[in-house]
Each structure stands twice: as structure tokens, then as C-alpha cells.
Amino acid sequence: MHVIEAKSLLTQWNGMNLYRGCTHGCAYCDSRSACYHMDHAFEDVAVKVNAPQLLEDTLRRRRKPCMIGTGSMSDPYQPIEEELRLTRRCLELICSYGFGASVITKSDLVLRDIDLLEEINRRTKAVVQVTLTIADDNLSRLVEPGVCPSSRRFEVLCKLRDRHIPTVVWMCPFLPWLTDSDENFLTLLDWCVEAQVTGIVCFGVGLTLREGSREHYYAFLDWHFPGLSDRYRATYGDAYNVVSANNDRLMAHFDKVCGQRGIIHTPDECFAYTAEFPELQGRLF
């Protein structure tokens, strides 16, 4: 971990990353890709210590409230957040200034702030987005070693459901010959239905690999599943989109179940939902 003073915080799409880098250690992480120009070791997380000040300065000057998103590149609930509380402080500002919040995380630390998320949702809108990609906890701990296993994330979704905080699940990526089975896919989909999620982001049964992330993923495979990276190279070469042979069949079932359950399930629909700020008739705060 190292500290930096950020010059700016919000993107043009009103997103923010309070940390740069990650210690979750997920084998498939796209944020490791060379195209993001990380100038330090990925696990040496850069902490934007002045993020709350930058955020407050921006929110104070905004004439119209909107949704503020966090977590698209680096999880806002990394282990160091438990001590530093940058995410909590930013959520407090979002609540105080009457904005909405959309949080993407794999961590159950988000439950620490459930009271604050509930209050934001009461005033405007709060959405928690959680990644679910591996139903088997043993495999989850191997592929995503620095974060709580998927069954715990399912519990998080249920707790948020019980507090009437809307949720969106990122049901991706899927790793060919490891997590692209019917059993894994259907279990995750059943969890989403039980947790009454508002939406599911699924780009298909597969993953994306590019310079930086591909080398890291193949090194993981070579260590834990010898020979499997050779199968990837023979089947996919250097393709960016790595699509499972099970994709068409499982995605057809996915579309059917989500349609029957009223779950929004195209990426564009989910992104529009998480970005949409509610039109409020009056403010009670």
C-alpha cells in the first residue's frame, strides 16, 4: 500500500476509484491489463487519501444530483478499507448532499455500511453490485483468494434484499473447462433468483484476455492446472474474447429465466438502471 494525492476523482460518467490496484488476487482480473497503464505493482494498492475532499468539492458545486459510482476498476471494499474508511466517508458525503450511489464489490465488508446504503436508498437511490462467478467455494478460494467466497456473497445479497436495497449481479466471467459447467452456471442463476436481484450483467459464458491479464491467468493455470493453458492457446490463440462451447445453450436458458422473473439482463439495461437517478417530487432532508 502507498498513499497518493489525486488531482481529480470523478470521471465524465460520474465514476470514482478510491484505490488503484487490488489485493483480491483474482486470477482472471482484467484490471491487470497493460492497456490501463498501471505504474506500480498491482498488489501495491495506491490509496487516494484526498478522495473525500475532492468528492465534497465536486458535490458542493453540482447543481443537479446524480448517481455516483465506484468499483469499476478497483474494489472500494479492499481489506485496507476496514481501517481507512475512505469508501464510508465518501458514502456519507453522497448521502449528505442528496446524491445516489452505485457500488461494485466482491467483499462482505460492504455490510459494514448497510445502514448508510439504506439511508441513501431511502432518500434517493443506492445500488450494490456484486460479482458471482464460481458457486463452488473451494474453487472460489483458489481463483479469488483474497476475498470472501461466493456463498458468502450470496448471503450479502440476501441481507441487502431484506433491507430493500436493490442489487445487480455481475455473473461473469466464466472460465472454460473450469467454471463453464451447467451446474455452476445454473446454481449462480438460482442464487440470483432467490436473492431477488434487480439485474444481472452477463457478457456470455467466457472471459476476455489481453496483454497483462492473459499472462497472469496462464501462469495461474500452469501452477494449479498444468496443461490447461496449452489447451487455451490451441483453442483460442491470442483472442480477446474467449467463448465457452456451452455459451449458446446456457445463455438461451439465462434469457428465458430472467425474462420469466422480470430480471433486467442485458448489459445496456443494467448500466442504464444503475446510472439512472430518480426524479424526486420533493426532498424530505
Side-chain angles (χ1 to χ4, degrees):
M1 179 192 105
H2 64 283
V3 169
I4 61 172
E5 291 275 341
K7 295 180 179 179
S8 61
L9 188 65
L10 290 187
T11 68
Q12 60 180 316
W13 302 283
N14 298 311
M16 62 181 181
N17 284 292
L18 310 177
Y19 303 100
R20 184 162 168 79
C22 187
T23 58
H24 288 345
C26 302
Y28 51 74
C29 181
D30 179 69
S31 294
R32 292 179 178 273
S33 299
C35 64
Y36 298 121
H37 306 292
M38 185 76 70
D39 58 2
H40 55 85
F42 192 71
E43 290 79 7
D44 179 20
V45 177
V47 178
K48 299 179 182 179
V49 290
N50 61 331
Q53 291 84 0
L54 290 173
L55 179 62
E56 183 166 24
D57 182 60
T58 300
L59 300 186
R60 185 189 295 117
R61 291 184 285 106
R62 287 282 179 95
R63 294 184 177 181
K64 187 176 181 180
C66 63
M67 296 294 290
I68 305 295
T70 185
S72 61
M73 288 294 295
S74 296
D75 199 312
Y77 286 102
Q78 306 220 14
I80 54 176
E81 165 62 21
E82 188 166 11
E83 175 185 351
L84 298 180
R85 300 173 71 86
L86 282 183
T87 300
R88 171 113 191 154
R89 288 159 60 193
C90 288
L91 288 175
E92 289 171 343
L93 290 168
I94 288 169
C95 185
S96 176
Y97 282 90
F99 283 68
S102 179
V103 175
I104 304 174
T105 186
K106 292 179 182 174
S107 175
D108 57 356
L109 184 56
V110 68
L111 292 178
R112 180 200 65 187
D113 296 338
I114 195 170
D115 60 325
L116 190 50
L117 291 162
E118 186 176 41
E119 179 63 15
I120 293 171
N121 195 52
R122 186 187 69 80
R123 297 183 178 204
T124 56
K125 178 182 176 182
V127 183
V128 177
Q129 304 180 60
V130 176
T131 298
L132 287 179
T133 183
I134 307 171
D136 180 88
D137 278 355
N138 291 327
L139 186 57
S140 175
R141 291 187 180 99
L142 184 67
V143 178
E144 307 163 313
V147 68
C148 63
S150 297
S151 64
R152 175 57 176 163
R153 284 175 248 164
F154 169 57
E155 293 175 0
V156 168
L157 288 167
C158 291
K159 289 180 183 295
L160 292 164
R161 174 202 63 199
D162 294 344
R163 301 286 281 266
H164 306 291
I165 298 170
T167 55
V168 170
V169 163
W170 286 70
M171 207 171 97
C172 55
F174 290 94
L175 314 180
W177 303 297
L178 285 178
T179 67
D180 63 339
S181 67
D182 289 28
E183 180 182 7
N184 184 59
F185 189 92
L186 298 178
T187 298
L188 296 175
L189 190 54
D190 286 345
W191 285 357
C192 290
V193 170
E194 185 173 345
Q196 298 175 17
V197 303
T198 299
I200 304 174
V201 177
C202 183
F203 290 101
V205 184
L207 77 159
T208 58
L209 292 174
R210 48 187 162 189
E211 182 185 355
S213 61
R214 180 184 292 109
E215 290 79 3
H216 181 80
Y217 180 59
Y218 283 176
F220 164 82
L221 294 181
D222 290 341
W223 182 258
H224 294 286
F225 303 95
L228 187 52
S229 69
D230 293 334
R231 190 173 184 183
Y232 271 78
R233 292 184 183 93
T235 305
Y236 302 109
D238 290 331
Y240 170 64
N241 286 306
V242 175
V243 182
S244 167
N246 301 329
N247 177 74
D248 292 350
R249 175 171 47 79
L250 289 176
M251 288 306 294
H253 181 73
F254 171 80
D255 291 337
K256 179 181 178 181
V257 170
C258 290
Q260 291 173 338
R261 296 287 183 168
I263 300 171
I264 58 175
H265 58 284
T266 69
D268 286 347
E269 286 177 316
C270 291
F271 298 157
Y273 170 74
T274 56
E276 181 184 16
F277 187 79
E279 292 293 332
L280 303 178
Q281 298 301 314
R283 298 189 183 276
L284 302 178
F285 53 93

